[in-house]
Amino acid sequence: MFSSQSSAAADTIKARTYDVFLSFRGKDTRDGFVSHLYKDLCRKNIETFIDDEELRKGDEISGALLKAIQASRVSVSVFSKDYASSKWYLAELVKIMDCNKWVVPVFYGVDPRDLRNQTGSFADAFAKHEENFKHESGKVKTWRSALTAAGKLSGWDSQVTRPDSTLVDKIVEDVVKKLNCGSSSANLKGLVGIERRMQEVLSLFQDGFPDFRMLGIWGMGGIGKTTLADAIYHHVSNGFQRCCFLANVREHEEQRELLKLRNEFLSTILEDENLYISTPTIGSGFLKDRLSKKKVLIVCDDVSKLSQIEFLFGGIDRIGPGSRVIVTTRNKQVLVQCGIDLIYDMKELDKDESVQLFCQCAFKSTNPTEYQLKLSKMALSVAKGNPLAIRLIGSSLYGKTKSYQESEVKKLNKVPKQDIQEVLKWSFDGLDCEEKEMFLDIACFFKGKHRDYVTRIMDACYDSAHSGIENLIDKSLISVSQNQIAMHDLLQQMGLNIVRDESPLKLEKRSRLWIPEDSYNVLSENNGTEMLRGIELDMSQLAKLELEPTAMMKMRKLRFLKFYHSYGRILLFNGLLSLPEELRYLYWEGYPLRSLPTKFDLGYLVELDMRKSHLEQLWEGKQDLVNLKVITLDFSLNLVRIPDLSRAPNLEKINLLWCSNLRDLPSSLQHLEKLTLECQLLWLLKIGDFPEIMDTMEWLYELDLSGTALKELPSSIGNLIGLMRLNMNNCKNLVCLPDSFYKLKSLRRFYLKGCSRLEIFPEILDTMKRLYELDLSGTALKELPSSIGNLIGLVHLSLDDCENLVRLPDSFYKLKSLERFYLKGCLRLEIFPEIIDTMKMLYELDLSGTTLKELPSSIGNLIGLNDLNMNSCKNLVFLPDNFYKLKSLERFYLKGCSRLEIFPEIMDTMKMLYELDLRGTALKELPSSIGNLIGLVHLSLDDCENLVFLPDNFYKLKSLERFYLKGCSRLEIFPESMDTMKMLYELDLRGTALKELPSSIGNLIGLVHLSLDDCENLVRLPDSFYKLKSLERFYFKGCSRLEIFPEILDTMKMLYELDLSGTALKELPSSIGNLIGLKDLNMNNCKNVVFLPDSFYKLKSLRRFYLKGCSRLEIFPEILDTMKRLYELDLSGTALKELPSSIGNLIGLKDLKINTVKTLFAFLTAFINSNLENLPTTIKQFPLHELILRNCKRLKSLPELPPSLECLDAHDCTSLEDVSSIKKFFKQPLFCQDKPYRSLVLNFSNCFKLGEKGVGNDIDAEDSTSLEEVSSIKKVFKRAVFCKSLGWLFTNCFQLDQKAASGPETPKLEMPFEHMVTLLKDYHQATPESKKRNIVKCVPGSEIPEWFDFKSLGSSMNIQLPSEWCSNNSRINFPSFVASAVVSFPDSPYTGGEFGITCECHLKSRNRDDRCFSCYSYFSFGSRLSDHVFLVYDGFKVREMVKSKASNNRIYIEATCNFYLEGLDSSQCEVKQCGVHRLFAN
């Protein structure tokens, strides 16, 4: 059937590209499986090249065949039993693998492991090749490598995915996904400038490097960030295991769909369609472990703030090696906050590129004429290289006369040069009236909606909807992606602005309302007008809305009305008189009345959606419904009947899901010719009583009765002779099925899940060939009928959670077609029947959670069984001796079988079993014949607390890759590995009783991950440890008796993480420098360590070194050479007396922690002018971000600190007197307004000796302060206020208490407070996007500063807001505050800790609606507290208030502020005073 692909086709190959290259061993699969696969690929219009025998001549692969491979985007290689016997196919495979494109392996009747290891039939074939090509060993080696690589790819196994028809469907689906994801250079056609930019990004991207990388693409709107990310995504995607493009992240958050987006992302990456996580972070260790092993490509497009990334990736601390994440954003700060240092600055198109794109859009030309170049120059002076603007301008001129083009370009040049919105508006102005209206409809209501849906609504509103949409596409104002209407953000914003400008102050005079608060206000005040054409109202975040009966009467021209998330939230206490007669679309979720208004004329209505309504009926009598196409009444639980629809000739669809009280359907439905068959099925979905079927019905093939109150089906059900699918899930009242059930000869799927009163399944009195899926899970069945064997075509049988099931019929073995049998949770099932005859097809059997004590001895008759699940079979005590006869078994799960003490001997080899889970069993040992599991890849014995012995022949498990023994607390000896084990890469021995590892551990030559955490008896590591050349991660945390780490006698390049925390090590070996790839070294809480080797500096790859709590470590070694990569060093809690003079060689150090170094008193001579109590002045040279000095009791002053510092924590530095150097922070350019991403947190809590003088002259506010000094203070705060966050904590600095001293030199901290707040006033009026600062200040004190506008005793206050607090500036016409509180602490000793202060502000407006926002900060205190004054300002909350559309056009008249303490006993600690200071005044 493939004759068309003969050698004569070789010439045509040169000129063609293919989607798929289909490779197979002809005689094995040509006339069967491959023919069906080829046919289905062609049916999907996938251009497929068939690998044909006639193209094979001579000894080498032909040029024609090679071209076909290279010209194909995906290769599907079908590996069959005799595949490797042909040198041709092996050579072809080498070429396929070399091309590095998508390869989809299909393992047809062969085990993937036979490919990887060249075993089985592949071993025989290669034995012959070795003989035939003894003089060309390199060629055979290349073939082996290609097979091994192909065998490791994720593919399709015919022994897992059955039958062949399903396998073909899955492969075609996989190919389609890859083709949708993959790309070729043709995909860049028309994308001007993208290829150059893509190459620039890829140079940063460094695809192929093994480490994980994140890349940011930053630029203005319309510049092409998404286009570039998309091009890169498709260009490199076939180098990753899974890929995911998260489009429109910002928009998803605005629509409250980030959770949905995250679940789609995880489902795609983990290939789990049912995955759902509702928590803020991804906490599952199992999920994170799966993610850490996958090489993935993820694009996060249009990210506007850090919180979006934190939500999408929250809790994910590691993604697989080689993974790449691309983030596109308009805000560079987002990338900085994410820690992304690879940032591509997306520039505008250059002059040549701009001309090329313009001519492409305006003239469809790549070779512009002189006139075209001249016109380009005129037009492009406005576009400024922005691709979106260029495309819009060019598209608007296409096909027009020269005079028109010149006139329009002249008009365009009057647009302000820098205003991109005005350029876009020019494009809008060129539309005709209908096109403008359609554009605005899409911008306000239909962006992202399905094109057919949009066209359906538009068609009823406009005369030329189809052509209008096409014109909008042609003019680049909208686009269509996957049949959804797409519109660029800037274009949408332009459309929204146009509608706003129709009436800036009076909402009701606009044509469209889409902002929830705006729609709410107009409706609540009954202000609708004839101007309104469309209203959308999302009630999810609003108070309940009570509508007047006349609420809709003034909006006579309204065409589009959508209320959603409105169930129970829109009230019609007095009914509704009418709805607008021109409505085309009415969507009202939770409509509260029993029927629609009687005065409502539905003549124009196209779609009526009243899901979750209280409707009992729609209307009385007949209505003219000539335009009505769709009715949706899903979940309208009170609906009793549907009206006469005979006058709805165009009705296409009725949805009545879960209308459980519907009792009647109109006879007129049968005359509606446009109503599709699929929709006719929906009529019957939720009828309460099912009628007798008086005659045969051939056309009804699907019947859904799930969730109905049916008690039984009629005996005439057999008349549904065409019925293929019958769904009765969750029919809780169903007690009986008719005896005539067997007459449903066409039935294929029958679902009865959750029919909890169904106790008896009827006898099957005749064979039913076609029924292949039967779901009885959750029923009350006690047994199955003996005639179950008559279901001769049954493939899938589920009895999960049938808690009354006690018996399975002896005839069970007659189900010869059965492939999957599920009995999970059948708590009373104690006996599994004997299998009297072989069952070839059954490959999955789930017995987990049953009360089985043993399996029958005839279990070996399940010769096709792949998966056997017996997890949590707590009564299981015995496995049959002939278990080894399950030759096809691949996965065997026995987790939690807590009474299983003996695993049977394996009397013969079992090649297929690759996963064995014995966690939590009572096994004391494994059988000596365990080596017969020659294909075992994964063996888990975690928490086998009785296990004391592993067999000596453990090393025979040559295929073993993962071996888990965590928590085997009685296992004292690990066996010698008498031979190399290449495949084992993960060994988990955590929590075992091992005292040592065997000297032969070096034979585990493929070991990558070795964990010995919490092996408290471990005293020795073997000298051969260094032989583990593949080892990457080695964990010893909590091995409290391990005193010596062995010498590393040779270099270990791969080891990058070593955790020795909590061990009893006294020193590291001098050969530690041989760990040349080490990145992370953790020695926290090694309380015996006293010495670090001089060779420490040789760890050139080291990035993080943790020595926290090494309380006996007194000397840090000299760093004899530069260490560029070490950026984090934690020395907190050590006994260091000095740092070496060579500390400056740590040139990459960013985070240095030395808190609680109580004896730190000296630095060597390199630190000039240092003394016993001071840090060295050279510390300013370090690029530190964080300096932790907590509990340095002898530290008296701070030198000039590094300008990069963001956090200084000097808590409990009780001798600290002078910190005047901190003033220099604010003189750094890093704190100026144009770089607002820096933070500064200064914590001087419990610095008891720190006085006002010690803070520095610039922050000294005595009476003698000069004007120059005051000016300096203002400059300090002006710079500081533009930090991302600013925290100054002077808790327990008693000498700073403004009332603690007396005399003429009484300190006054009011001035610094006042200057800070003064500058906040200016800051508050900045653009909303920059309001992202948190500012916190704390000093001792007992009174609110005098200059605060409002003060009150106690913890709450009520403020009448002045009328001048309303401004014409929409950014600031709401009040915002700096809050202050005095907190009193108990006189009795206070133990210290953390607590938080919350200021919650409730605002009331003239509209009588409330708004609320709050500021929160937490503080850490030691003991000995006095009263303290706190100043708190949360710019994040301010920003949200500014951005909130609800704040516009509000005049707030009253504010109530409440202060709360968290974490303290309120009976002892209280807010004594509170105050509020306004941020601006007119």
Side-chain angles (χ1 to χ4, degrees), residues 905-1124:
E905 291 289 340
I906 302 110
M907 305 306 293
D908 197 2
T909 57
M910 295 181 73
K911 297 181 181 180
M912 304 300 289
L913 185 64
Y914 71 83
E915 185 171 0
L916 178 59
D917 190 345
L918 298 167
R919 289 177 288 174
T921 59
L923 293 176
K924 296 180 180 178
E925 61 182 5
L926 291 177
S928 58
S929 54
I930 192 75
N932 278 333
L933 302 181
I934 58 177
L936 194 63
V937 171
H938 183 117
L939 175 58
S940 182
L941 287 153
D942 285 348
D943 302 314
C944 291
E945 297 179 357
N946 294 333
L947 187 72
V948 295
F949 176 75
L950 291 174
D952 291 335
N953 61 352
F954 152 75
Y955 69 92
K956 293 184 179 179
L957 296 172
K958 297 295 187 182
S959 298
L960 194 63
E961 295 179 4
R962 297 178 295 277
F963 191 14
Y964 301 127
L965 289 154
K966 177 187 174 184
C968 295
S969 53
R970 297 181 62 190
L971 182 66
E972 297 185 1
I973 299 174
F974 194 85
E976 293 287 342
S977 305
M978 305 307 293
D979 197 2
T980 56
M981 296 182 73
K982 297 180 181 180
M983 305 302 292
L984 185 63
Y985 72 82
E986 186 171 2
L987 177 59
D988 190 346
L989 299 167
R990 289 177 290 172
T992 59
L994 293 176
K995 297 180 180 179
E996 61 181 2
L997 290 177
S999 58
S1000 56
I1001 192 75
N1003 279 333
L1004 306 182
I1005 58 178
L1007 196 63
V1008 170
H1009 182 115
L1010 174 58
S1011 181
L1012 287 152
D1013 286 349
D1014 301 315
C1015 292
E1016 297 180 357
N1017 294 334
L1018 188 72
V1019 295
R1020 178 180 175 273
L1021 292 174
D1023 294 335
S1024 57
F1025 153 71
Y1026 72 93
K1027 295 182 179 179
L1028 297 172
K1029 297 295 187 182
S1030 299
L1031 195 63
E1032 295 180 3
R1033 298 177 295 276
F1034 198 7
Y1035 302 130
F1036 289 95
K1037 181 180 178 181
C1039 295
S1040 53
R1041 297 181 63 190
L1042 182 66
E1043 297 184 1
I1044 300 174
F1045 194 87
E1047 292 288 340
I1048 301 113
L1049 302 179
D1050 198 1
T1051 56
M1052 296 181 73
K1053 297 180 181 180
M1054 303 303 292
L1055 185 64
Y1056 69 83
E1057 186 172 359
L1058 178 59
D1059 190 345
L1060 301 168
S1061 57
T1063 61
L1065 292 176
K1066 297 180 180 179
E1067 60 182 5
L1068 289 177
S1070 58
S1071 55
I1072 193 73
N1074 278 333
L1075 303 181
I1076 58 178
L1078 194 64
K1079 296 179 181 178
D1080 292 324
L1081 177 55
N1082 190 342
M1083 297 185 69
N1084 284 344
N1085 297 310
C1086 291
K1087 298 189 182 294
N1088 293 336
V1089 73
V1090 295
F1091 175 75
L1092 292 175
D1094 293 336
S1095 57
F1096 158 73
Y1097 72 93
K1098 294 182 179 179
L1099 296 172
K1100 296 295 186 181
S1101 298
L1102 196 63
R1103 297 181 178 183
R1104 292 170 288 270
F1105 190 15
Y1106 305 114
L1107 289 156
K1108 180 180 178 181
C1110 295
S1111 52
R1112 297 180 63 190
L1113 181 65
E1114 297 184 0
I1115 300 174
F1116 196 86
E1118 291 289 340
I1119 301 107
L1120 302 179
D1121 198 1
T1122 56
M1123 297 181 73
K1124 297 180 181 180

Side-chain angles (χ1 to χ4, degrees), residues 264-277:
E264 289 174 357
F265 148 57
L266 291 173
S267 296
T268 300
I269 294 298
L270 297 174
E271 302 174 78
D272 185 347
E273 294 179 1
N274 299 315
L275 190 145
Y276 180 83
I277 299 172

Side-chain angles (χ1 to χ4, degrees), residues 776-779 799-804 822-827:
L776 298 166
S777 52
T779 61
L799 288 153
D800 285 348
D801 302 313
C802 291
E803 297 181 358
N804 294 331
Y822 302 132
L823 291 153
K824 179 182 178 182
C826 295
L827 303 178

Side-chain angles (χ1 to χ4, degrees), residues 162-163 165-166 169-170 701-702 723-726 741 744-751 761 764 767-776 788-799 815-822 841-844:
R162 294 192 264 186
S165 58
T166 302
D169 290 344
K170 293 292 186 182
Y701 67 85
E702 185 170 355
L723 193 65
M724 295 182 181
R725 185 180 186 272
L726 176 55
F741 157 72
L744 296 170
K745 297 295 187 180
S746 297
L747 195 64
R748 296 184 178 184
R749 296 183 291 273
F750 190 14
Y751 303 119
F761 195 86
I764 301 110
T767 57
M768 296 181 73
K769 296 180 180 180
R770 296 188 176 179
L771 184 64
Y772 70 82
E773 185 172 3
L774 177 59
D775 190 346
L776 298 166
I788 193 77
N790 279 333
L791 303 180
I792 58 178
L794 195 64
V795 170
H796 181 116
L797 175 58
S798 179
L799 288 153
L815 296 171
K816 297 295 187 180
S817 297
L818 194 64
E819 295 183 3
R820 299 178 296 277
F821 191 15
Y822 302 132
M841 302 304 291
L842 185 64
Y843 71 84
E844 187 172 0

Side-chain angles (χ1 to χ4, degrees), residues 547-551 571-578 588 591-593 597:
L547 294 181
E548 297 293 332
T550 59
L571 310 176
L572 294 169
F573 290 130
N574 298 313
L576 188 64
L577 290 177
S578 70
W588 192 327
Y591 178 76
L593 301 180

Side-chain angles (χ1 to χ4, degrees), residues 1275-1323:
K1275 290 178 181 177
V1276 165
F1277 283 104
K1278 188 158 189 175
R1279 289 189 175 101
V1281 82
F1282 287 101
C1283 301
K1284 178 179 69 176
S1285 59
L1286 178 63
W1288 286 13
L1289 307 181
F1290 290 91
T1291 55
N1292 279 347
C1293 299
F1294 300 124
Q1295 295 186 45
L1296 290 178
D1297 190 338
Q1298 48 192 339
K1299 299 299 182 183
S1302 62
E1305 296 185 359
T1306 300
K1308 298 175 183 177
L1309 282 188
E1310 294 181 3
M1311 186 172 288
F1313 265 63
E1314 190 168 4
H1315 286 314
M1316 179 179 287
V1317 175
T1318 300
L1319 269 299
L1320 277 171
K1321 293 176 185 178
D1322 297 332
Y1323 161 72

Side-chain angles (χ1 to χ4, degrees), residues 58 226 251 315 322 348 386 461 522 626 658 688-689 693 859 869-870 951 966 1009 1059 1088 1096 1113 1200 1278 1290 1415-1416:
T226 300
E251 192 171 301
E348 297 85 357
N386 186 295
C461 297
V522 170
V626 67
W658 289 98
D689 297 318
I693 300 112
I859 193 74
N869 189 343
M870 298 191 72
K966 177 187 174 184
H1009 182 115
D1059 190 345
N1088 293 336
F1096 158 73
L1113 181 65
E1200 184 179 345
K1278 188 158 189 175
F1290 290 91
C1415 301
Y1416 172 84

Side-chain angles (χ1 to χ4, degrees), residues 1192-1210:
C1192 292
K1193 302 290 187 182
R1194 302 181 63 179
L1195 188 65
K1196 290 186 177 182
S1197 65
L1198 295 179
E1200 184 179 345
L1201 297 173
S1204 58
L1205 200 66
E1206 295 184 357
C1207 177
L1208 171 63
D1209 189 346

